[in-house]
Amino acid sequence: MPMWLQALLWGTLAGAALLLGSGLSWKWSIPPKVVSSVMSFGAGVLISALAFDLVEEAQQGGGLWPTLAGFLAGALVYVGANALLARHGAKHRKRSNGKQPSEQEKPGSGTAIAIGALLDGIPESVVLGLGLITGGAVSPAMLAAVFISNVPEGLSSTAGMKRAGRSPGYVFGVWGGIALVSGIAALIGYAAMQNAPAELVAFITATAAGAILAMLADTMIPEAFEEHHILTGLIAAVGFLTAFAVSQASG
């Protein structure tokens, strides 16, 4: 199978986890503690993947300084964009407990939430495509990390959207669209960087890693802690160790 097609398929598969979580949340009322537990686990998995796959891989492939610069740039860009979207009603886009505003309460918040969800998903998808360049195959640990973290995001965000009175067409349109864009982002990550210098690949990989860590700290971890704070740290630690084990087993 051509590499570009692999990038498209793996990115779409990872993004489809959002649609899976959304469908489960729309059909059934998932207990908040279950959602927060899965979100805590997903956060731990992603942190492990950042440390042992993305940042380490970027440093080994392109050097320390491109990695440091890219990581900081990614965090700054994400935080800036997230702050802008928060002003337009997307601050609580991952919350399930009714904090999301309705369109009547905050006009334009639906668009802001959709853009915010897209902002959260693109860095994860890009690195799946970049992994095909640096490793010759998608990283099992990174793919698992993105998929596992996307399921509770779809669960939690959809519960909040449902409580805010958003329509099924809007909810599934958002997540279905993001799943498709995730595949395209992975494809672009592969195609655009295929012949790029190692330093640039390292910079872009680290940029995505910095954005993902900022996303975890700004959105996923607060939601997990709010609903299940006693066990949040322990569940996240189990997620971290699980991803680390997968990474080591896959070589």
Side-chain angles (χ1 to χ4, degrees):
M1 184 183 295
M3 285 290 192
W4 67 266
L5 184 56
Q6 290 187 44
L8 178 64
L9 292 177
W10 288 125
T12 304
L13 174 64
L18 292 164
L19 200 56
L20 172 62
S22 180
L24 292 172
S25 184
W26 191 268
K27 184 170 180 61
W28 294 289
S29 180
I30 310 296
K33 286 190 180 297
V34 173
V35 177
S36 67
S37 295
V38 181
M39 192 167 283
S40 300
F41 185 85
V45 167
L46 268 180
I47 291 171
S48 179
L50 293 178
F52 298 109
D53 281 275
L54 298 187
V55 176
E56 183 178 27
E57 188 175 88
Q59 190 276 328
Q60 290 177 351
L64 178 61
W65 293 110
T67 301
L68 294 178
F71 196 90
L72 182 59
L76 287 171
V77 169
Y78 180 89
V79 169
N82 193 47
L84 182 62
L85 289 169
R87 295 181 181 178
H88 293 84
K91 181 178 182 180
H92 300 297
R93 60 184 177 274
K94 283 187 171 65
R95 299 301 177 94
S96 59
N97 55 5
K99 289 188 176 182
Q100 281 190 30
S102 66
E103 196 65 26
Q104 291 72 31
E105 293 170 333
K106 185 78 173 180
S109 60
T111 300
I113 288 170
I115 295 173
L118 192 62
L119 174 69
D120 297 339
I122 284 180
E124 300 170 344
S125 303
V126 168
V127 296
L128 291 175
L130 290 173
L132 292 171
I133 298 174
T134 57
V138 71
S139 164
M142 191 64 209
L143 179 62
V146 175
F147 192 93
I148 291 170
S149 66
N150 278 347
V151 171
E153 180 175 349
L155 284 169
S156 182
S157 296
T158 297
M161 290 176 179
K162 193 174 180 180
R163 286 193 175 91
R166 304 193 189 280
S167 68
Y170 170 83
V171 173
F172 294 109
V174 166
W175 298 121
I178 291 174
L180 292 176
V181 172
S182 295
I184 294 171
L187 171 59
I188 292 173
Y190 171 76
M193 295 290 108
Q194 190 174 5
N195 298 311
E199 292 80 8
L200 181 57
V201 174
F203 179 85
I204 299 300
T205 301
T207 298
I212 293 170
L213 183 59
M215 179 271 290
L216 288 170
D218 280 357
T219 59
M220 282 185 70
I221 293 174
E223 165 68 3
F225 181 82
E226 182 174 327
E227 296 293 346
H228 207 172
H229 63 277
I230 295 176
L231 295 178
T232 298
L234 177 60
I235 297 172
V238 172
F240 183 97
L241 290 175
T242 300
F244 175 71
V246 172
S247 177
Q248 295 301 302
S250 62

